[in-house]
Amino acid sequence: MARLTLAFRSPGENFDKWQAAFAALMPDLSFVHWRDVSDPGAVDAVMCWLPPEGWLASFPKLRLVQSLGAGVDHVLKDGRYPAHVPLVRLVDPAMTRAMTDFVTFQVMRLHLGEPTYRRQQQVGLWEPHVPLRTVDRRVGILGLGELGTATAAALVRIGFDVAGWSRTPKDLPQVTCFSGEAGFAPFLARSDILVCLLPLTSATEGILSAATFAQMPQGAGLINVGRGGHLVEADLLAALDSGQLSEAVLDVFQTEPLPEAHPFWTHSRIVVTPHVAAVTNPATASLVVADNLRRLQAGEGWPDRVDLASGY
Ligand code: NAP
Ligand code: GLV
């Protein structure tokens, strides 16, 4: 079988870790850093995060684009994406586990009133609040895909009253499933803690807005681990000011890194994490990519191929 050439491009770099992983897994693979590509015509596949506009179109024989993340909005930003080339998401069980751990931890923090006690501690205030039982806490998950489904199952195991919302109808054990436009309002009305695990597409951009917050129970919490583009930032600040929302945990932002002077950094009701809910780890993700490259060579399809029309 012909030797495959895979070009790598990511602002986060870590080329060496990927190279070491592929050397062990696929010794025949020619794995090249984008700066070292001497013949674009020899590149079969590309693995990337946030490729610059037109870069992918510069490979005349490209047969696969492997996203370095579960999301692909960073690739489809490229208005010159070569539409005939399959785009495959990164679906790594280790990342799914990381996401369920992260969201579970943040849901628990909000559920147990941790932000309130930290604020009370700062002013020396001893004021116990009656805790709610997990069965009485309604958690809503926007997006019931790979990550949303696993996260919902983890929260169900803990005992939360879990609902989810997706584009197409779903039937998941012990999760109240809503879908489509008609399901949005009843889903929001029962979301004491709302978790965003949607992909960023033209249909979901700005979905975390004043209109959405107004349909949630007063004092609800928000956890955004989807994308910064889902959130209308000014609407979040207004909802926290008015008390419509009580707390927000934000892992993703319109501009990353979050600018130094951004009001989120110092807001007493916002927790900021630097896009770390589920980080791509070459040690585990290389196994997934190796299988996707094997599929390319074998002429098989990819279960995690992106539908370019819907954008996820
Ligand atoms: P996925 O498997 O593609 O699932 C996407 C889910 O969103 C599906 O349930 C889909 O509905 C639903 N959806 C899409 N468009 C919708 C719409 N217009 N209305 C209602 N529901 C809609 O994606 P995933 O692997 O779970 O990942 C989700 C996102 O998480 C990624 O795109 C990425 O942005 C984010 N992420 C963040 C981090 C981080 O570290 N913060 C890490 C990884 C991923 P259907 O099931 O009906 O198609
Ligand atoms: C991270 O944000 C990802 O999409 O994997």
Side-chain angles (χ1 to χ4, degrees):
M1 211 169 264
R3 184 176 153 96
L4 275 183
T5 296
L6 173 68
F8 172 92
R9 183 165 194 156
S10 165
E13 288 297 344
N14 70 4
F15 176 79
D16 294 352
K17 286 195 179 132
W18 284 100
Q19 193 174 41
F22 285 133
L25 280 174
M26 300 184 76
D28 284 344
L29 179 71
S30 163
F31 182 56
V32 279
H33 193 280
W34 67 274
R35 283 195 214 94
D36 300 328
V37 173
S38 51
D39 175 10
V43 171
D44 302 287
V46 151
M47 184 168 75
C48 60
W49 181 270
L50 207 58
E53 174 100 17
W55 182 66
L56 295 168
S58 72
F59 300 105
K61 297 197 179 145
L62 193 61
R63 292 185 287 139
L64 176 68
V65 176
Q66 168 72 61
S67 167
L68 267 167
V72 292
D73 49 295
H74 62 100
V75 176
L76 294 177
K77 256 184 191 166
D78 178 354
R80 289 162 59 198
Y81 184 87
H84 63 282
V85 181
L87 169 61
V88 174
R89 296 168 352 90
L90 184 62
V91 177
D92 174 359
M95 279 172 78
T96 304
R97 176 56 199 257
M99 182 59 85
T100 62
D101 286 351
F102 184 92
V103 173
T104 301
F105 170 69
Q106 298 297 351
V107 167
M108 270 298 186
R109 280 186 57 254
L110 300 188
H111 169 65
L112 295 173
E114 168 68 14
T116 303
Y117 291 123
R118 292 290 69 78
R119 285 191 291 270
Q120 289 186 195
Q121 184 173 354
Q122 275 175 358
V123 293
L125 176 63
W126 181 278
E127 187 177 74
H129 305 276
V130 180
L132 213 60
R133 298 179 310 162
T134 50
V135 285
D136 296 325
R137 184 74 74 186
R138 300 164 302 173
V139 183
I141 303 186
L142 287 165
L144 287 175
E146 201 65 36
L147 301 175
T149 299
T151 301
L155 294 170
V156 163
R157 280 196 293 277
I158 294 169
F160 288 107
D161 180 356
V162 181
W165 183 71
S166 51
R167 194 168 57 85
T168 56
K170 300 267 182 283
D171 184 10
L172 301 174
Q174 297 177 71
V175 178
T176 309
C177 295
F178 298 88
S179 60
E181 250 176 73
F184 196 49
F187 162 80
L188 291 176
R190 51 136 298 146
S191 293
D192 299 323
I193 298 174
L194 182 69
V195 179
C196 179
L197 268 169
L198 287 166
L200 183 62
T201 67
S202 55
T204 64
E205 190 171 2
I207 195 167
L208 302 174
S209 66
T212 293
F213 303 147
Q215 297 175 71
M216 292 164 63
Q218 189 166 28
L222 172 70
I223 299 173
N224 187 17
V225 280
R227 284 287 184 262
H230 288 130
L231 178 67
V232 182
E233 296 188 341
D235 288 5
L236 172 65
L237 292 171
L240 290 170
D241 280 353
S242 72
Q244 179 55 28
L245 294 186
S246 60
E247 315 283 348
V249 176
L250 306 176
D251 184 55
V252 285
F253 303 90
Q254 293 275 1
T255 305
E256 295 183 7
L258 187 63
E260 207 178 324
H262 200 287
F264 287 173
W265 279 119
T266 50
H267 199 291
S268 65
R269 291 180 180 273
I270 294 179
V271 162
V272 168
T273 53
H275 201 143
V276 289
V279 176
T280 299
N281 177 357
T284 55
S286 56
L287 298 167
V288 179
V289 176
D291 187 53
N292 286 338
L293 293 172
R294 181 197 61 73
R295 287 170 175 276
L296 174 66
Q297 274 179 313
E300 292 174 18
W302 298 272
D304 304 312
R305 182 172 176 173
V306 171
D307 169 22
L308 295 181
S310 59
Y312 72 99

